Amino acid sequence: MVQTKRSDRPSEGADAQQAETADTQKSGKGSRRGRIFDYGELRLLLLAMLAERSSHGYELINEIKERFGGMYKPSPGVIYPTLTWLYDRSYAVIELEKGGRKRYSITEEGRAFLAANQAVSDMLMARVAPKGNSKSPKQLVGAMDHLKRALSLRIKLGPVADSVIDQMAEVIHSAADQLETLLTAPPQAKGAMTSIAEIATPNAQRYLRRLCTHFHHRTPVVSDETSGQFKMSMGEVRMEVVGDALFKVTLTAFSAEKIPEMEEIIVRHLQETAVREVLEIHWQRAER
């Protein structure tokens, strides 16, 4: 068995990004909707898996497939460039076995990088399909049947205008986005904290739109006319328009010490967005 050292050749990070994009597009998932991993998340997931045990590339592919109950299987064109990126950064080392097979193992640098992104890696490791749950919950089965009946009955009544079909598709996409966010939200760790601000303002929808637009350039945002949510490295932000004159912001931090920083970020962006209006923002904190 021969252990290879990191070479000085250029990183293949760009190749990994292109391969990941091509893989999602080949699966009909080139847009944000339905996307399994955001750019960079697959790297952390593979590193977390290598922290558990050394593996071959094909073993990692099959393990991810099992994690998602067979619903998603990354292609070799995604996995191997990503493993090369980890190797180039000295986060992983390669052991050459008989037949030229490569076994990947995490390095101390890799463990340090994983520790610096612990909250995100924990969330990714928790993002799995439930095991031993062959029967769908009856509430979900009933909801899906209701949706199918509504669509079937309406279609049978006669032709539907293209504009209405577009709106119907948008409603379904929006629901799918919100469901995906619920299913992929990280489990609340011990010591997590929530902070809530209920801000009286007649411009709640404007603040919602502005904050969703701003943070969309940094992280995926799920939103509709009255709500929005996104994840930060420190935790999760949820925003709601309540009635005609209330803007509610709920922050959930992975640890209590992160709450003040999250509050400061949101307050700063709200104040920058406010026009001829002084916002009174008071946070109420509670441990989860």
Side-chain angles (χ1 to χ4, degrees):
M1 183 181 295
V2 179
Q3 189 177 81
T4 65
K5 296 181 179 179
R6 183 178 67 85
S7 67
D8 292 327
R9 58 190 168 80
S11 166
E12 296 186 18
D15 292 341
Q17 183 181 19
Q18 292 172 359
E20 186 175 346
T21 302
D23 196 47
T24 55
Q25 289 176 341
K26 189 168 77 172
S27 301
K29 298 176 180 178
S31 66
R32 178 175 60 85
R33 290 183 177 125
R35 188 170 180 172
I36 299 296
F37 296 108
D38 293 319
Y39 177 60
E41 288 186 341
L42 184 58
R43 299 171 180 176
L44 278 174
L45 176 60
L46 291 178
L47 203 56
M49 292 166 67
L50 292 178
E52 293 185 341
R53 65 177 179 275
S54 301
S55 300
H56 300 102
Y58 68 87
E59 291 175 325
L60 294 168
I61 290 173
N62 290 330
E63 184 175 340
I64 292 175
K65 179 182 177 182
E66 291 180 5
R67 283 175 171 272
F68 286 90
M71 297 176 64
Y72 171 72
K73 180 181 179 181
S75 69
V78 169
I79 291 297
Y80 288 104
T82 305
L83 288 171
T84 299
W85 186 91
L86 295 174
Y87 170 68
D88 284 341
R89 295 300 191 281
S90 296
Y91 296 155
V93 67
I94 300 173
E95 296 172 354
L96 293 179
E97 299 180 338
K98 288 184 179 180
R101 293 198 308 170
K102 297 179 181 180
R103 178 179 291 276
Y104 297 83
S105 303
I106 194 170
T107 64
E108 289 304 313
E109 292 93 334
R111 293 187 186 278
F113 180 72
L114 198 60
N117 296 275
Q118 193 66 52
V120 178
S121 64
D122 287 346
M123 177 270 290
L124 292 170
M125 290 295 282
R127 190 188 296 180
V128 297
K131 296 181 179 179
N133 185 21
S134 58
K135 295 184 66 176
S136 299
K138 62 180 182 180
Q139 300 97 316
L140 295 181
V141 173
M144 290 299 296
D145 286 342
H146 186 188
L147 175 61
K148 287 188 288 187
R149 286 197 306 272
L151 290 173
S152 177
L153 288 173
R154 181 60 189 86
I155 297 291
K156 288 179 180 179
L157 288 176
V160 181
D162 290 343
S163 60
V164 175
I165 291 177
D166 289 341
Q167 292 178 46
M168 292 166 65
E170 188 61 35
V171 168
I172 295 172
H173 281 309
S174 177
D177 284 340
Q178 293 180 56
L179 289 172
E180 184 182 49
T181 298
L182 288 173
L183 292 170
T184 59
Q188 293 300 325
K190 186 177 180 180
M193 176 170 281
T194 295
S195 185
I196 300 175
E198 294 185 344
I199 307 163
T201 173
N203 300 305
Q205 285 192 326
R206 181 164 66 87
Y207 292 122
L208 174 67
R209 289 194 300 270
R210 291 291 295 273
L211 264 65
C212 285
T213 299
H214 173 80
F215 285 99
H216 179 67
H217 296 294
R218 304 182 181 187
T219 184
V221 175
V222 178
S223 64
D224 54 29
E225 290 298 317
T226 60
S227 66
Q229 60 188 71
F230 57 88
K231 284 178 280 192
M232 306 170 68
S233 60
M234 298 166 283
E236 186 177 72
V237 179
R238 294 174 181 265
M239 302 172 290
E240 300 174 73
V241 175
V242 183
D244 297 326
L246 190 66
F247 186 49
K248 181 177 179 181
V249 181
T250 303
L251 310 178
T252 303
F254 298 126
S255 58
E257 59 267 22
K258 296 296 183 181
I259 275 289
E261 186 176 353
M262 293 181 70
E263 291 174 345
E264 192 276 331
I265 290 172
I266 297 301
V267 169
R268 185 175 70 249
H269 286 295
L270 282 172
Q271 289 176 340
E272 291 174 354
T273 304
V275 178
R276 295 188 296 276
E277 182 179 15
V278 178
L279 298 175
E280 293 188 9
I281 306 173
H282 304 288
W283 298 98
Q284 297 292 326
R285 300 178 184 176
E287 290 187 6
R288 296 296 295 264

